[in-house]
Amino acid sequence: MNKWEDNRAWFLVIPVFIIVAFSAILPLMTVVNYSVQDIFGPGDRMFVGVEWFKEVLGDSRLHEALLKQFLFSGLVLLIEIPLGIGIALLMPKKGWGSSLSLVLMALPLLIPWNVIGTIWIVFTRPDIGLLGSFINGMGIPFDHTASPIQAWITLILMEVWHWTPLVVLLAYAGLRAIPEAYFQAAKIDGASAWAVFKYIQLPKMRGVLTIAILLRFMDSFLIYAEPFVLTGGGPGNSTTFLSIYLVKIAVGQFDLGPAAAFSLIYFLIVLLLSWLFYQVLQNAGKGGA
Amino acid sequence: MGLSLKNMQKKVDGEEHLIDINLDFESGSRNVILGRTLSGKTSLLRLMAGLDKPTKGQLMLDGKDITGMSVRKRSVAMVYQQFINYPSFTVYDNIASPLKVSKMDKKEIERRVQEAAQMLHLESMLNRLPSELSGGQQQRTAIARAIVRDADLLLLDEPLVNLDYKLREELQIELQEIFKKRKSIVVYTTTEPAEALMLGGNIVVMDQGKVIQTGSTPEVYHHPATTKVAEVFSDPPINYISCHVKGDQVLLGGGVNFPLNYHLKSLTDDHYKLGVRSNHFYLKKRGENDVRLAVKVELAEINGSETFIHADFSGERIVIQEVGIYSKKIGSEIEVYVNPSRFFVYSDTGKLVIAPS
């Protein structure tokens, strides 16, 4: 191979570099840039070092938002993963029932996120909403715009409705990939349904479940559109999650410095937690698919 | 005493997978089910294991009808084509798993697992997970798990098909030894004639959901009752050459003729099909009475130490298997020799008339 051919490879790679640079690296560097400067106006800025990081890390509202974020993601994972596996186990294995249930499962995933929020606003309205008026009709006062607890319940319900199907689809694919002979062998051994689940299905699903847990954790930890539409972070601050708070600082108050520092910390938290999850899941129940 | 299948039939969605199966397996016997893919071997094993219910017919164990008995209550062990082990159990726990379910004494489990592991040379791997084993070791674990419980019925569904050639030969020899020591009825399915011959015992030849011949394995090999059995029980499939017997002469295509001799002497004037196994064709004349056939080469493949020549003999396709490596040009005319003492003679309807003695 001559030199020219060696260099020609660069022409194929460079477009990717440029796209990645503009879409990821440059914005990230801009954020890093903002996070260490105080910006008064165009061309009027001052280097402040780690000032903003100190301020953000000491912000009690951020602590509160972070705590809420953990609670939210934790609840979402605790509900969606077992529920998703359960539904996948109950779904028909073949025939038209299997196709039908797959299509039904995929439906919530096809709806734009802000539309989901709108659907749930209407769905849970105490006066005309199907769910809201039904609950009120039973004599239980329900209004998620007034009660923080009810706002949380509504949000989690919405999140579970929206994203459990993803877990179902992944788990279903994992289950279908297990050769039939495993179940026959277990039957011959006299293993119970629980043993089959614990010793065959669960270990064999480890790969897809790792992906499901990572995706669900990251998505729920970064959630913005749905609570923004449904509750706007309220009532009070009760559903002000990290990204909502971040947008309030950056766009609402135009505090670009602290917002940039906040973004970087946020990014590192997600990165660190995802890595932790991945490590734990890699070592849990080794020997799966 | 043993296992009997009476008029067993299996239909799935109106399609007949098994047709009127009547078989007897004696306790302690080794049995091979030989048949091509989709001949119904696996369906039959599943019925015997109790994993499927027959559409018709009965399964009798020592004279008792066990057709409706659930798998859990039966004493069955099975090994599959795929290497089936519990992914999160160590080799030891995998082998012990059927014993643990039956709530056996811990010391007895330990003893039996060690014994089975020793038989299959797994002693040094007892603490590993299946994913840390090679394919051969995984299948050894699965076989150990099957033999450890001393079930009445040990079923093996093409257990060596996914292993490489070397490992397969190794395990074939070991399995023979292991089967000899068992009191169980061993049923082993395969598509390969060579494997069937190696395992010996009794054979059941299947084709399209039907049992087409049973008997002792060497006996069936030397006397395939129909052309179909001969095809299934020869690899490459047996070759047929049409002939016509007239007086004391056998007339073949292409003007070839030879006198009736050996076991062929009793043939009366008629049309017949001569069956020749590929390894009985030679490229050189070896004896006085050899018949010379002029054939046209269509394909020559070399498999390590053997050459397979696909050729045309006056409109009939034959395969010559010769030890050694020969390169033959496609389209060239060559001479092939076969001794008449090797001919299986079949009637036009495909029934065996005479086999070589």
Side-chain angles (χ1 to χ4, degrees):
Chain A
M1 200 182 279
N2 61 36
K3 194 91 185 174
W4 162 240
E5 269 175 323
D6 275 348
N7 289 337
R8 200 165 50 176
W10 284 106
F11 288 100
L12 303 172
V13 178
I14 280 171
V16 178
F17 275 140
I18 295 173
I19 291 168
V20 171
F22 274 98
S23 66
I25 299 169
L26 288 185
L28 185 68
M29 289 322 292
T30 315
V31 172
V32 173
N33 203 12
Y34 282 0
S35 71
V36 292
Q37 296 186 67
D38 196 351
I39 298 166
F40 305 105
D44 186 8
R45 54 185 66 188
M46 189 176 92
F47 183 76
V48 293
V50 293
E51 186 87 3
W52 298 134
F53 287 92
K54 277 188 196 155
E55 183 185 314
V56 165
L57 287 173
D59 182 356
S60 66
R61 289 182 64 192
L62 179 109
H63 296 164
E64 214 181 290
L66 188 64
L67 209 65
K68 276 184 282 197
Q69 193 70 69
F70 274 119
L71 186 62
F72 182 74
S73 284
L75 284 172
V76 160
L77 283 179
L78 278 178
I79 298 170
E80 287 185 6
I81 300 296
L83 185 65
I85 295 171
I87 294 174
L89 284 169
L90 292 175
M91 267 164 61
K93 290 181 182 175
K94 52 188 170 189
W96 61 269
S98 145
S99 320
L100 181 72
S101 44
L102 283 175
V103 170
L104 285 179
M105 275 298 142
L107 279 180
L109 298 173
L110 302 175
I111 303 169
W113 300 358
N114 52 347
V115 176
I116 297 244
T118 315
I119 290 174
W120 277 76
I121 287 182
V122 177
F123 187 47
T124 53
R125 261 178 72 154
D127 49 354
I128 56 162
L130 209 54
L131 182 70
S133 61
F134 174 74
I135 294 175
N136 277 304
M138 290 199 311
I140 305 164
F142 180 87
D143 184 0
H144 68 72
T145 56
S147 151
I149 295 268
Q150 286 177 358
W152 267 75
I153 291 172
T154 313
L155 260 182
I156 284 175
L157 265 182
M158 176 178 72
E159 177 71 10
V160 166
W161 175 82
H162 188 186
W163 286 111
T164 305
L166 179 76
V167 182
V168 173
L169 294 183
L170 284 168
Y172 188 74
L175 285 172
R176 289 287 72 76
I178 304 173
E180 184 56 32
Y182 275 94
F183 302 108
Q184 290 177 23
K187 214 171 160 189
I188 287 176
D189 279 359
S192 63
W194 169 247
V196 169
F197 173 70
K198 195 171 159 198
Y199 300 126
I200 297 173
Q201 291 171 318
L202 207 53
K204 282 278 168 193
M205 279 196 291
R206 189 171 62 102
V208 286
L209 286 182
T210 304
I211 295 171
I213 291 172
L214 278 179
L215 283 179
R216 286 316 305 129
F217 163 72
M218 284 190 289
D219 270 352
S220 64
F221 207 79
L222 301 171
I223 191 165
Y224 177 75
E226 299 99 315
F228 176 74
V229 174
L230 185 71
T231 64
N237 279 332
S238 61
T239 58
T240 303
F241 297 121
L242 281 178
S243 55
I244 293 183
Y245 185 46
L246 174 62
V247 172
K248 272 184 185 165
I249 299 174
V251 184
Q253 303 162 11
F254 216 71
D255 284 336
L256 290 182
F262 186 167
S263 303
L264 285 176
I265 293 165
Y266 197 178
F267 170 67
L268 288 176
I269 292 174
V270 174
L271 199 65
L272 181 74
L273 287 174
S274 299
W275 180 78
L276 270 178
F277 270 112
Y278 183 75
Q279 289 303 320
V280 170
L281 290 164
Q282 277 299 298
N283 293 315
K286 244 190 189 163
Chain B
M1 286 291 127
L3 188 78
S4 307
L5 285 72
K6 297 222 158 97
N7 306 316
M8 284 257 231
Q9 190 194 24
K10 181 70 184 172
K11 260 190 192 176
V12 180
D13 301 329
E15 207 182 311
E16 296 207 83
H17 285 196
L18 290 171
I19 306 157
D20 200 26
I21 308 280
N22 285 288
L23 290 171
D24 289 299
F25 299 101
E26 275 172 43
S27 299
S29 63
R30 278 174 295 148
N31 306 276
V32 181
I33 300 181
L34 177 71
R36 297 198 173 140
T37 320
L38 294 176
S39 61
K41 303 186 299 293
T42 304
S43 307
L44 188 61
L45 281 198
R46 292 175 56 104
L47 284 188
M48 288 168 67
L51 289 164
D52 286 336
K53 298 274 164 283
T55 315
K56 256 194 228 159
Q58 290 164 309
L59 190 65
M60 318 281 282
L61 182 68
D62 296 339
K64 270 186 293 177
D65 188 345
I66 58 161
T67 320
M69 191 189 270
S70 84
V71 189
R72 285 169 215 282
K73 288 187 186 146
R74 296 190 191 193
S75 174
V76 183
M78 193 157 171
V79 179
Y80 301 83
Q81 278 180 33
Q82 302 106 318
F83 314 138
I84 304 296
N85 293 301
Y86 293 103
S88 55
F89 284 8
T90 60
V91 171
Y92 182 95
D93 288 333
N94 258 298
I95 301 175
S97 61
L99 304 178
K100 279 184 182 158
V101 172
S102 60
K103 305 241 163 25
M104 192 179 273
D105 176 59
K106 270 232 169 101
K107 274 194 183 145
E108 176 67 7
I109 292 181
E110 166 87 29
R111 193 188 65 75
R112 286 222 204 174
V113 171
Q114 291 294 351
E115 189 193 32
Q118 206 179 353
M119 259 189 248
L120 286 143
H121 307 298
L122 289 165
E123 302 102 311
S124 59
M125 293 156 201
L126 287 172
N127 292 322
R128 297 212 203 152
L129 290 168
S131 58
E132 297 164 342
L133 299 177
S134 72
Q137 291 161 345
Q138 286 182 35
Q139 193 65 325
R140 280 169 186 275
T141 307
I143 295 170
R145 213 178 74 232
I147 62 168
V148 78
R149 49 190 299 205
D150 260 330
D152 293 341
L153 188 57
L154 175 56
L155 306 170
L156 300 104
D157 189 7
E158 298 185 46
L160 307 182
V161 79
N162 286 336
L163 294 175
D164 69 62
Y165 189 63
K166 269 268 160 63
L167 276 172
R168 207 182 303 174
E169 284 188 336
E170 206 177 291
L171 265 166
Q172 269 168 2
I173 295 166
E174 287 176 31
L175 283 178
Q176 286 189 71
E177 291 302 310
I178 291 167
F179 294 160
K180 270 183 200 157
K181 293 179 194 149
R182 302 274 121 192
K183 287 190 204 82
S184 1
I185 301 169
V186 178
V187 184
Y188 188 109
T189 71
T190 182
T191 55
E192 288 179 38
E195 197 173 42
L197 282 170
M198 192 147 189
L199 290 158
N202 299 316
I203 196 164
V204 175
V205 184
M206 292 192 70
D207 184 56
Q208 298 188 341
K210 275 186 263 186
V211 170
I212 51 176
Q213 194 173 356
T214 60
S216 91
T217 306
E219 169 69 18
V220 173
Y221 183 73
H222 292 300
H223 294 91
T226 62
T227 48
K228 196 75 219 179
V229 176
E231 278 163 40
V232 174
F233 209 160
S234 310
D235 184 34
I238 201 164
N239 304 287
Y240 294 112
I241 299 169
S242 312
C243 76
H244 189 79
V245 172
K246 205 173 178 188
D248 62 350
Q249 289 287 311
V250 184
L251 313 172
L252 307 180
V256 178
N257 63 318
F258 64 92
L260 283 175
N261 46 19
Y262 304 109
H263 61 301
L264 306 175
K265 277 186 180 149
S266 59
L267 290 178
T268 51
D269 289 12
D270 203 349
H271 284 283
Y272 297 101
K273 271 186 192 171
L274 298 177
V276 190
R277 289 206 161 101
S278 293
N279 56 334
H280 292 144
F281 284 121
Y282 294 98
L283 294 173
K284 284 200 186 81
K285 189 163 180 165
R286 291 157 48 99
E288 192 66 1
N289 296 325
D290 281 6
V291 179
R292 185 177 66 92
L293 308 175
V295 302
K296 196 172 172 188
V297 177
E298 288 179 340
L299 180 73
E301 33 176 354
I302 294 161
N303 152 30
S305 57
E306 290 174 329
T307 307
F308 294 86
I309 300 166
H310 299 244
D312 178 279
F313 170 68
S314 70
E316 286 171 306
R317 195 138 191 223
I318 61 171
V319 179
I320 299 120
Q321 179 184 8
E322 176 74 283
V323 178
I325 293 173
Y326 300 89
S327 52
K328 297 288 175 195
K329 259 203 191 122
I330 291 170
S332 63
E333 302 271 350
I334 59 168
E335 288 176 348
V336 174
Y337 297 88
V338 58
N339 192 289
S341 67
R342 299 296 196 181
F343 286 140
F344 290 88
V345 184
Y346 288 95
S347 67
D348 272 350
T349 53
K351 291 236 162 51
L352 183 67
V353 179
I354 304 176
S357 45

